Amino acid sequence: MDRLCLAGLRGLSARLAERSTAELAEPMLVDPERDPVLFFPLLYWRITATQPQPSEQAVEKLNAYMAKGGVILFDTGDEGQAGAGPDTAELERLRRLVAGLTLPPLAPMGPDHVLTRSFYLLKSVPGRWDGATLWVSQGAEAGNDGVSPVVLGGNDWMAAWAVDERGRPLHAVVPGGERQREMAYRFGVNLVMYALTGNYKADQVHLPAIMDRLKR
């Protein structure tokens, strides 16, 4: 899983370098108990059913990270099965892993959320899978520049972004194929821009032009 996550972040970083002026360092694996996570604008947390519970020290550092403007993407990778039947092992593990974290109330991301227009205009946010609901904080985070400290979903974005040493995709994406992979990359670019620039795109001065483009 660590190798997959690094491959995914490298694939996304390559797209960001091609399409934006963002200059990103090499993606890193971090241990919240040991590493200074406050230096990272975005953490990707891929949930697996066998992950150990974070220590009290790690929980304290992650709570401080979110309170000071950091964003965590929680990805259960379970194709959004929650609510469609028995909860997946990943979703159940997520509940236990975040038990000590100070999380805001979450709600499904609406079509007018800043994440849908922080770089690309998006109507969906697929990953390796498509259809899982994306959850963000309910209402603006006044102490976090209007940015949700938590983004939660199950579309397995890391697998969609992952590439080998020659830049070739490592996993198929279903059901939409390469067009779906492109949309997954666009979501990733939006997510990074959202973490870096805050609520800049929420500025009312941008809305007329954005709405005109959406109509067309």
Side-chain angles (χ1 to χ4, degrees):
M1 184 56 67
D2 286 346
R3 289 193 297 270
L4 171 64
C5 288
L6 278 177
L9 289 173
R10 286 170 180 150
L12 178 59
S13 293
R15 294 301 182 277
L16 277 155
E18 294 168 359
R19 304 178 185 191
S20 76
T21 57
E23 297 183 7
L24 304 180
E26 181 73 7
M28 292 175 58
L29 296 174
V30 296
D31 180 345
E33 186 170 348
R34 183 187 65 234
D35 298 323
V37 295
L38 286 175
F39 292 110
F40 297 90
L42 175 67
L43 297 179
Y44 180 94
W45 191 336
R46 178 63 163 81
I47 304 298
T48 62
T50 58
Q51 280 180 21
Q53 196 74 15
S55 68
E56 290 186 10
Q57 182 180 358
V59 167
E60 289 178 3
K61 290 177 69 174
L62 290 171
N63 281 333
Y65 170 79
M66 290 186 288
K68 294 181 182 296
V71 177
I72 303 178
L73 171 61
F74 292 95
D75 186 357
T76 59
D78 59 2
E79 202 175 353
Q81 295 300 314
D87 287 346
T88 61
E90 290 81 4
L91 188 61
E92 180 60 30
R93 190 63 190 143
L94 171 67
R95 290 195 180 102
R96 296 180 183 179
L97 287 171
V98 303
L101 296 178
T102 304
L103 303 181
L106 300 179
M109 183 183 71
D112 59 344
H113 194 275
V114 181
L115 251 176
T116 65
R117 59 180 188 271
S118 54
F119 194 86
Y120 291 104
L121 293 177
L122 299 178
K123 295 182 179 179
S124 62
V125 291
R128 187 181 188 185
W129 322 118
D130 194 5
T133 300
L134 193 70
W135 298 79
V136 294
S137 64
Q138 191 172 13
E141 295 295 316
N144 202 15
D145 197 21
V147 173
S148 173
V150 174
V151 180
L152 167 63
N155 279 333
D156 198 0
W157 292 281
M158 200 57 63
W161 302 335
V163 295
D164 64 15
E165 65 280 357
R166 299 177 63 181
R168 298 172 299 190
L170 290 176
H171 298 279
V173 292
V174 293
E178 292 309 302
R179 176 59 180 170
Q180 182 173 319
R181 191 187 310 279
E182 169 62 23
M183 299 311 295
Y185 275 127
R186 292 187 182 188
F187 166 68
V189 171
N190 275 28
L191 180 67
V192 172
M193 292 302 179
Y194 178 66
L196 291 175
T197 64
N199 63 354
Y200 163 72
K201 284 288 185 170
D203 193 328
Q204 293 295 311
V205 72
H206 299 283
L207 289 182
I210 290 172
M211 295 306 297
D212 183 61
R213 287 179 62 190
L214 285 172
K215 291 176 184 176
R216 290 187 276 116

